Amino acid sequence: MYAQLNSLTLFGLQGLVVQVEIDIANGLPAFDLVGLPDSSVREAKDRVRAAVRNSGYEIPMKRITANLAPASLRKEGAGFDLCLALGILQAAEQLPLEGLHGVAAVAELALDGRLRPVRGMLSMALAAKQHGLHTLLVAPENAEEAALVNGLQVIAANSLRDVVKHVKGEAVLSTYVVKRSADSHEESLEVSSAGLDRVDFCEIKGQAHVKRALEIAAAGSHNVLLLGPPGSGKTMLAKRLPTILPELIESESLEVTQIHSVAGLLPEGTGLLATRPFRTPHHTISAGGLVGGGTTPRPGEVSLAHGGVLFLDELPEFGKKVLEVLRQPLEDAQVTIARTKATYTYPSRFLMVAAMNPCPCGFYGSDYKACTCTPLQIKRYQSKISGPLLDRIDLHIEVPRVKYQDLVSEELAESSRDIRERVVQVRALQKERFTGRAQPVNAAMSPLDTRKHCQLTEDAKQMLTDAFEHLGLSARAYERILKVARTIADLGGQEMIDVAHVAEAVQYRRLDRKFWGE
């Protein structure tokens, strides 16, 4: 007696179709599971036995062999439980063989037969559609996520008994339909009140030059380092950066949702994530936690921040090795994690904002409180941030103490909505300039792009030459200044980059000076 069904598994960020083959033969009772299963898959036979028995059905007292094909790919997770149970019932002739043609079943089974959700359902649903499967059987908690894929019939069941009755035709389970607006395709998704409406730039007193720098960062997707004493508002400013970023379109939201689903961080019953991620890992995080890792690697913080903001507070407190692993994701907008049996790639296109004090006590260079650190302590503290990492940060912004007059002022500052309107206009200009690019932003320009789109006036060329010589800039820093100047010119509505644009871009390279104390 033989049966074959379809299930799904994860390989990195991608879903893969797995054929579950069941053979029941005469012999001593046994349940063998082959096809490179991990421990969670091997334990499925005990869950399946109990779930089938407690649902009122019988497993034959014969030799059962289950194969997960392709056998060369390692399988993980409890998502094969439902498929294994249905396959055994089919092979035992307790279910019609034709009832599950073109169907994929993905769910964990409780011992009483209830269906439980699994992570990565969006990726698996996309894979099911790509391979021509028309129906997906899932737990109710996964239905909203799976139904985001157009053209795929999603059926949610509470228990194994409900699925069996549906296949036999004794009961009919309804198809789950996700609630989406008719004009949502490639349109901006509406931002929930739990996202941008909680914080606003109008709440920030003073710091006009920092707000200007963050507007430039949002417009061109430039990385930012905020440098200032404790209490100057670095964290408050960083938390408000997502409020001036353009809203997610549906394709971006699909990517963000897929990553969080694979990581197991998508709340149950949640559809598309409509707000840009804002990730704030603690400085005790490991390199694997930041870029992803594990025996079977999962997305790290840089991938969870994809499409949004990664905020690294107290930057020098992070381990030096941890910070150095940021180089590849900042440069390539993706993370590649190699393991013995496979190589996984996760997207990591994010805007990085880092904040730090100028010294251990925080008051080096302050005009209102004396620094208590020795020169050696200051040098050690600042040297934790390597030159190659600083090169990849476009804007180095000094955040001074807020003046008392600004704190008590009743004047309302510019709102996030007003700033975002300017950012959206500049992003639209860049999208037209870089048509068809995965990253249509100035920060992602190649050297060929900078030569083509960063045309400087003669005065601007001379200023950039002087800055390169006096500040000891690297070639990467030179490119970064050109990209920032391009964004500043775009905000001013100018085609040519003038001396004022270059001057503003150069002043944002505070830490490129040969000595920080200069």
Side-chain angles (χ1 to χ4, degrees):
M1 296 178 285
Y2 173 84
Q4 178 181 308
L5 293 86
N6 296 303
S7 190
L8 297 150
T9 190
L10 290 173
F11 184 80
L13 196 61
Q14 305 302 316
L16 291 175
V17 174
V18 174
Q19 291 183 342
V20 178
E21 300 175 304
I22 305 292
D23 178 74
I24 300 180
N26 294 326
L28 292 175
F31 192 160
D32 296 323
L33 197 54
V34 297
L36 282 184
D38 71 352
S39 57
S40 61
V41 180
R42 286 194 296 270
E43 291 169 353
K45 54 188 179 183
D46 298 316
R47 292 192 297 271
V48 169
R49 282 186 185 277
V52 170
R53 183 180 66 251
N54 291 326
S55 296
Y57 306 105
E58 294 182 1
I59 291 183
M61 299 298 291
K62 295 184 178 182
R63 186 175 186 84
I64 301 173
T65 303
N67 179 47
L68 307 178
S72 59
L73 178 68
R74 187 167 184 81
K75 320 300 186 306
E76 66 161 354
F80 299 106
D81 290 6
L82 177 59
C83 197
L84 287 167
L86 295 174
I88 291 172
L89 293 176
Q90 276 193 335
E93 299 180 348
Q94 298 179 47
L95 271 181
L97 291 176
E98 67 279 0
L100 292 170
H101 180 70
V103 176
V106 187
E108 178 183 342
L109 285 177
L111 298 186
D112 61 356
R114 287 179 294 111
L115 270 59
R116 287 175 173 163
V118 297
R119 66 182 179 88
M121 181 54 66
L122 180 55
S123 294
M124 291 188 280
L126 289 167
K129 181 183 178 182
Q130 291 169 0
H131 285 78
L133 300 175
H134 56 74
T135 303
L136 193 57
L137 285 169
V138 299
E141 295 87 346
N142 282 143
E144 178 83 14
E145 186 181 345
L148 294 172
V149 180
N150 289 325
L152 185 66
Q153 185 181 23
V154 176
I155 297 177
N158 291 312
S159 65
L160 175 62
R161 182 189 293 271
D162 292 340
V163 176
V164 172
K165 288 183 177 180
H166 175 77
V167 175
K168 285 183 175 181
E170 298 174 359
V172 178
L173 295 174
S174 59
T175 301
Y176 188 91
V177 179
V178 69
K179 300 178 181 65
R180 61 167 79 225
S181 60
D183 58 348
S184 64
H185 181 66
E186 289 299 324
E187 296 292 335
S188 293
L189 297 177
E190 189 170 333
V191 180
S192 66
S193 59
L196 302 185
D197 294 339
R198 284 188 176 179
V199 293
D200 197 287
F201 265 105
C202 67
E203 301 167 340
I204 304 293
K205 299 289 187 177
Q207 309 292 22
H209 72 288
V210 185
K211 296 177 186 177
R212 163 69 175 175
L214 292 179
E215 180 180 343
I216 295 169
S221 193
H222 301 289
N223 299 317
V224 183
L225 174 61
L226 303 176
L227 177 69
S232 58
K234 301 186 295 295
T235 301
M236 284 186 67
L237 286 158
K239 286 183 176 180
R240 281 151 181 79
L241 182 56
T243 67
I244 63 173
L245 290 173
E247 298 172 4
L248 288 171
I249 60 173
E250 189 172 7
S251 59
E252 292 176 320
S253 184
L254 194 65
E255 276 188 324
V256 172
T257 305
Q258 191 176 356
I259 294 169
H260 283 73
S261 174
V262 168
L265 299 178
L266 195 66
E268 292 181 1
T270 300
L272 283 177
L273 294 177
T275 55
R276 292 189 180 274
F278 183 81
R279 304 294 300 182
T280 57
H282 193 261
H283 59 76
T284 56
I285 192 172
S286 65
L290 190 61
V291 299
T295 305
T296 302
R298 293 194 185 184
E301 289 294 330
V302 296
S303 296
L304 294 172
H306 178 73
V309 175
L310 177 69
F311 178 46
L312 304 179
D313 201 4
E314 303 296 340
L315 188 66
E317 300 300 330
F318 285 78
K320 194 172 184 67
K321 292 183 178 179
V322 174
L323 292 180
E324 292 309 304
V325 300
L326 282 170
R327 293 191 194 181
Q328 185 206 3
L330 286 174
E331 198 74 24
D332 302 334
Q334 65 179 21
V335 173
T336 301
I337 305 170
R339 291 293 182 265
T340 304
K341 296 182 179 180
T343 298
Y344 303 83
T345 299
Y346 295 110
S348 59
R349 189 170 65 250
F350 59 90
L351 198 163
M352 188 183 83
V353 182
M356 62 178 289
N357 298 328
C359 67
C361 79
F363 298 104
Y364 176 60
S366 173
D367 60 352
Y368 71 99
K369 190 171 183 179
C371 174
T372 60
C373 304
T374 66
L376 182 59
Q377 287 177 320
I378 296 172
K379 185 175 180 180
R380 284 178 177 173
Y381 186 79
Q382 296 174 350
S383 65
K384 292 181 180 180
I385 315 301
S386 68
L389 181 59
L390 283 176
D391 268 355
R392 289 168 169 84
I393 301 177
D394 304 339
L395 306 171
H396 310 157
I397 314 301
E398 292 187 72
V399 186
R401 180 184 65 143
V402 182
K403 296 179 180 178
Y404 177 76
Q405 291 81 359
D406 291 330
L407 283 175
V408 298
S409 173
E410 296 295 331
E411 184 180 354
L412 192 64
E414 191 174 25
S415 70
S416 293
R417 186 177 298 275
D418 294 335
I419 300 173
R420 186 167 68 238
E421 288 179 0
R422 296 194 296 269
V423 170
V424 169
Q425 290 177 1
V426 174
R427 285 290 187 103
L429 177 64
Q430 294 170 70
K431 188 174 183 179
E432 183 179 348
R433 179 183 295 151
F434 307 113
T435 304
R437 301 279 185 90
Q439 297 185 75
V441 290
N442 289 336
M445 283 193 290
S446 67
L448 288 176
D449 290 330
T450 56
R451 281 196 289 272
K452 179 180 178 181
H453 299 293
C454 298
Q455 299 298 319
L456 284 75
T457 64
E458 291 301 321
D459 290 341
K461 289 179 182 179
Q462 185 58 48
M463 172 165 282
L464 195 52
T465 300
D466 294 341
F468 189 85
E469 296 298 331
H470 287 86
L471 298 182
L473 301 176
S474 67
R476 182 181 288 114
Y478 168 79
E479 292 284 333
R480 300 275 175 174
I481 289 174
L482 280 178
K483 294 173 184 179
V484 172
R486 177 68 272 165
T487 301
I488 296 171
D490 289 342
L491 282 167
Q494 298 183 31
E495 184 63 30
M496 290 287 290
I497 298 176
D498 205 349
V499 63
H501 307 139
V502 173
E504 186 174 1
V506 168
Q507 75 164 349
Y508 292 138
R509 302 298 301 186
R510 163 72 169 86
L511 303 186
D512 279 329
R513 302 178 187 179
K514 295 176 183 177
F515 300 96
W516 283 27
E518 290 184 355

